[in-house]
Amino acid sequence: MKPIFSRNIDNKGRLMRGIVALALLIGAGFGFALSIWLGALLLASGLFVGFEALRGWCALRACGIRTKL
């Protein structure tokens, strides 16, 4: 059995997740102006995707779902 959070994406996937995380965090900044819930949801999503990018781990792939990157 593999250790939890073991790497399952390459550098290309990490880069894409980093870009998505940045976009979500920027969106969270604008989202807080509209709704506290929207901002909080975007912030939490951005932090999680940022964690995936830094760790080199994808939650979908860990569940057995194949992603293109």
Side-chain angles (χ1 to χ4, degrees), residues 20-21 23-32 36-48:
V20 170
L24 286 169
L25 293 174
I26 291 171
F30 291 111
F32 277 114
I36 189 78
W37 294 108
L38 176 62
L41 179 67
L42 289 173
L43 179 65
S45 299
L47 290 174
F48 181 72

Side-chain angles (χ1 to χ4, degrees), residues 9-19 68-69:
I9 57 174
D10 59 359
N11 286 335
K12 185 178 177 183
R14 292 178 72 189
L15 177 65
M16 289 305 298
R17 279 165 184 77
I19 292 170
K68 289 188 179 190
L69 293 178

Side-chain angles (χ1 to χ4, degrees), residues 5-9 13 17 48 51-53 55-67 69:
F5 301 127
S6 63
R7 289 185 173 220
N8 59 6
I9 57 174
R17 279 165 184 77
F48 181 72
F51 169 75
E52 284 185 328
R55 187 71 181 119
W57 174 75
C58 177
L60 293 176
R61 282 185 176 242
C63 293
I65 299 170
R66 298 297 299 166
T67 58
L69 293 178

